[in-house]
Amino acid sequence: PSASTPQLLLSFSWALIHCFSPCPGLRDPMAIERTNLLNMANLSIKGLIESALSFGRTLDSDYAPLQQFFVVLEHCLKHGLKVRKSFLGQNKSLWGPLELVEKLCPEVAEIAASVRDLPGLKTPLGRARAWLRLAMMQKKLADYLRCMIIRRDLFSEFYEEHALMMEEEGAVIVGLLVGLNVIDANLCVKGEDLDSLVGVIDFSMYLKNDSDSSGCFERDGQFAAILDQKNYVEELNRQLSSTVGSLQGRVDSLEKANSKLIEELAIAKNSIIRLQEENVQFRNENIQMLMKTQQHLELVKLDVSAELETYKGTRQGLDDMFTEARRQLREESRMRQDVESDLLVQINMKQEMELAMKLLEKDIHEKQDALISLRHQLEEVKAINVEMFQKLKGSEDGLKQKREMMTRLEEKTNQVTAAMKRMEQSDKDLLDQTRTVAISCLKCVGRENNI
């Protein structure tokens, strides 16, 4: 081509500006602001490219057109920026939307990490300025800002509806920034005070005479055209290579994912068929088990009902037997109380007899004269007393046996069925023995009274 690439880009940019320029009859202030910023961005980019061609196209931080370009770009990005409220007050932070670009474009993560690691930056505006300069050095500024144009719905959180980046003028500016990829920038971000940098546009740089600049271009036109074509071809080749590489990688990953999904689909189909067969088999087994369970449940219900009737009859009989046993136990207890009372009476009688013997001995001592005559009688009384003592001892043994029998009777109360007759017989024998002992005791008492 006969014309240089930057000149073609500038011509195309001017055509875009004229296409999006508002009609003279419309007086929307926000549209006029967007148009003014678009024109300033175009002049700044145009002047930067022209000066870079004459300067050698390797720029540093002190280069005035480059500084003015960042000032104009900062004004463009701040247009329509919403006020963010915080504890310290209200401010318009440009760092917020630039941080969101990191989520949409993973390549920005390296720049964002470098900006956060810079020790001299203290304000969000300083970090945003450093971010723009690093993107400029990577020649990816247009690519990164294109994410804001594509996903305007996400950036509506930071910008008003009439903001420059939310309208078509933002897309035009992003298109103009593509021409900056032919410029090499070597910017020192670490040592520069970006927090307190004054962002004022110097309009005197863009009001120069066009004849001077055209004369400069005529002197270096041929060399710049060749160099521009070479750099443009290199830049285009680099972009195409990266695009082809990324597309090839995506194609390979999609093919792998597709083959993997096909295999997973086949495995899933086989699993579904196998699960359906197992489901049918489980349903048949469940129906058979349900039928068997119902039959078994009916049989169990019949057995339970029969056992319940038997249990009710058995329990009624046991209740009757228990009632009878309790009645007999009360009678035996009453009889035992009577025997114990008789025993107390006999003990009292024995004590009285002992007292009588003491009185008798006293009378014997007092009546020495009657001792000889009554000694024989005393021996008979002693013999009778010994016999009575033996009978009393036998009565105590009988009472002990009766108590043991009562203990066994209480233990055998729970064994109500077979032991009832033996208990009745033992109680009758015990009653006879008790009566015999009581009669013998009464006879002894009668004999003693007779003596």
Side-chain angles (χ1 to χ4, degrees):
S2 58
S4 63
T5 302
Q7 292 175 354
L8 290 175
L9 290 173
L10 292 175
S11 301
F12 179 70
S13 301
W14 277 109
L16 289 175
I17 292 172
H18 288 298
C19 290
F20 291 101
S21 297
C23 298
L26 299 177
R27 305 301 300 171
D28 187 5
M30 302 307 298
I32 295 173
E33 289 181 4
R34 292 195 300 269
T35 304
N36 293 335
L37 289 173
L38 178 59
N39 292 329
M40 286 303 305
N42 181 61
L43 291 174
S44 176
I45 295 171
K46 178 181 177 182
L48 182 59
I49 294 174
E50 291 176 352
S51 60
L53 292 175
S54 61
F55 188 71
R57 300 195 309 171
T58 300
L59 310 178
D60 54 6
S61 300
D62 297 332
Y63 192 56
L66 184 59
Q67 293 179 357
Q68 286 299 308
F69 162 73
F70 283 119
V71 172
V72 174
L73 182 60
E74 183 180 334
H75 280 278
C76 293
L77 294 176
K78 282 186 176 180
H79 183 264
L81 194 64
K82 291 183 179 179
V83 177
R84 308 290 293 181
K85 295 181 179 181
S86 63
F87 294 103
L88 301 177
Q90 298 179 354
N91 59 351
K92 293 184 178 181
S93 176
L94 185 58
W95 178 241
L98 295 182
E99 276 189 319
L100 185 58
V101 176
E102 180 182 359
K103 299 180 181 179
L104 301 177
C105 186
E107 299 176 359
V108 189
E110 183 179 356
I111 296 178
S114 300
V115 171
R116 295 188 185 98
D117 293 337
L118 289 175
L121 299 179
K122 299 180 181 179
T123 61
L125 181 58
R127 288 191 287 269
R129 289 170 176 171
W131 189 94
L132 294 175
R133 282 158 175 77
L134 291 176
M136 179 71 179
M137 286 192 291
Q138 285 188 351
K139 296 184 180 181
K140 293 291 187 67
L141 183 59
D143 298 335
Y144 295 159
L145 295 183
R146 188 179 294 112
C147 298
M148 301 175 65
I149 303 302
I150 296 173
R151 298 301 304 272
R152 293 175 180 172
D153 53 338
L154 297 178
F155 288 90
S156 60
E157 179 184 357
F158 300 97
Y159 287 100
E160 302 289 346
E161 296 179 357
H162 57 270
L164 177 68
M165 300 304 295
M166 296 290 105
E167 298 292 341
E168 297 297 333
E169 288 83 356
V172 176
I173 292 177
V174 172
L176 294 174
L177 292 175
V178 178
L180 297 178
N181 293 335
V182 298
I183 299 175
D184 296 329
N186 186 12
L187 307 177
C188 183
V189 181
K190 186 174 181 181
E192 190 174 358
D193 188 9
L194 299 177
D195 293 328
S196 60
L197 190 64
V198 180
V200 179
I201 301 175
D202 187 7
F203 291 97
S204 62
M205 296 181 60
Y206 310 108
L207 299 177
K208 293 180 180 180
N209 190 3
D210 294 336
S211 61
D212 297 336
S213 60
S214 62
C216 182
F217 275 109
E218 289 177 358
R219 289 191 300 268
D220 300 332
Q222 187 177 2
F223 177 76
I226 295 171
L227 191 58
D228 290 335
Q229 289 178 4
K230 178 179 177 295
N231 290 329
Y232 176 74
V233 171
E234 290 178 354
E235 179 67 20
L236 184 60
N237 188 17
R238 184 183 63 80
Q239 292 182 358
L240 290 175
S241 298
S242 62
T243 304
V244 169
S246 62
L247 290 176
Q248 187 64 34
R250 291 183 63 187
V251 169
D252 294 337
S253 62
L254 289 175
E255 288 179 354
K256 292 180 181 178
N258 190 15
S259 61
K260 186 177 180 181
L261 289 175
I262 291 172
E263 294 177 358
E264 291 180 354
L265 181 61
I267 295 172
K269 287 182 179 179
N270 295 330
S271 301
I272 289 172
I273 294 172
R274 181 172 55 81
L275 290 174
Q276 288 178 353
E277 293 176 355
E278 291 179 356
N279 190 13
V280 173
Q281 184 179 359
F282 287 155
R283 285 183 179 178
N284 295 329
E285 292 178 357
N286 191 11
I287 292 171
Q288 294 177 1
M289 292 177 64
L290 182 61
M291 294 175 63
K292 291 181 180 179
T293 304
Q294 289 179 353
Q295 293 176 359
H296 182 69
L297 184 61
E298 291 177 357
L299 294 176
V300 169
K301 285 182 178 179
L302 294 176
D303 294 338
V304 168
S305 61
E307 290 179 359
L308 184 62
E309 294 295 332
T310 305
Y311 173 74
K312 288 181 179 179
T314 305
R315 184 173 179 180
Q316 183 66 32
L318 290 174
D319 290 339
D320 296 338
M321 293 173 65
F322 183 71
T323 304
E324 183 66 20
R326 287 183 64 183
R327 184 183 62 78
Q328 292 179 1
L329 181 61
R330 286 196 296 269
E331 291 178 357
E332 294 296 334
S333 299
R334 182 176 55 78
M335 292 172 63
R336 186 181 66 180
Q337 291 178 358
D338 294 339
V339 171
E340 288 178 353
S341 62
D342 294 337
L343 182 61
L344 291 175
V345 171
Q346 290 180 7
I347 291 172
N348 294 327
M349 291 172 64
K350 182 179 178 181
Q351 292 177 355
E352 291 177 357
M353 288 173 63
E354 291 177 354
L355 182 61
M357 288 178 65
K358 290 180 180 180
L359 294 174
L360 183 61
E361 289 177 357
K362 185 178 180 180
D363 291 337
I364 290 171
H365 288 292
E366 292 178 353
K367 296 178 180 180
Q368 291 292 332
D369 297 335
L371 180 61
I372 297 172
S373 62
L374 294 177
R375 182 173 295 175
H376 182 68
Q377 294 180 1
L378 180 60
E379 292 176 354
E380 292 178 356
V381 169
K382 286 182 179 180
I384 294 171
N385 194 8
V386 169
E387 185 181 359
M388 186 180 64
F389 179 76
Q390 292 177 354
K391 289 182 180 181
L392 183 60
K393 186 176 181 181
S395 176
E396 289 177 355
D397 294 334
L399 288 174
K400 185 176 182 180
Q401 292 178 0
K402 182 180 178 182
R403 288 176 182 175
E404 293 176 355
M405 292 178 69
M406 289 296 293
T407 303
R408 288 195 299 271
L409 179 63
E410 290 178 354
E411 292 177 353
K412 293 181 181 179
T413 302
N414 295 326
Q415 303 173 356
V416 191
T417 53
M420 292 300 297
K421 292 181 180 181
R422 292 196 299 270
M423 287 172 59
E424 292 177 356
Q425 187 65 32
S426 62
D427 290 335
K428 289 180 180 180
D429 295 337
L430 182 62
L431 183 61
D432 294 334
Q433 292 178 3
T434 305
R435 288 177 179 175
T436 304
V437 172
I439 292 170
S440 62
C441 291
L442 293 174
K443 287 180 180 180
C444 292
V445 172
R447 287 177 182 178
E448 290 176 357
N449 290 329
N450 292 328
I451 293 172

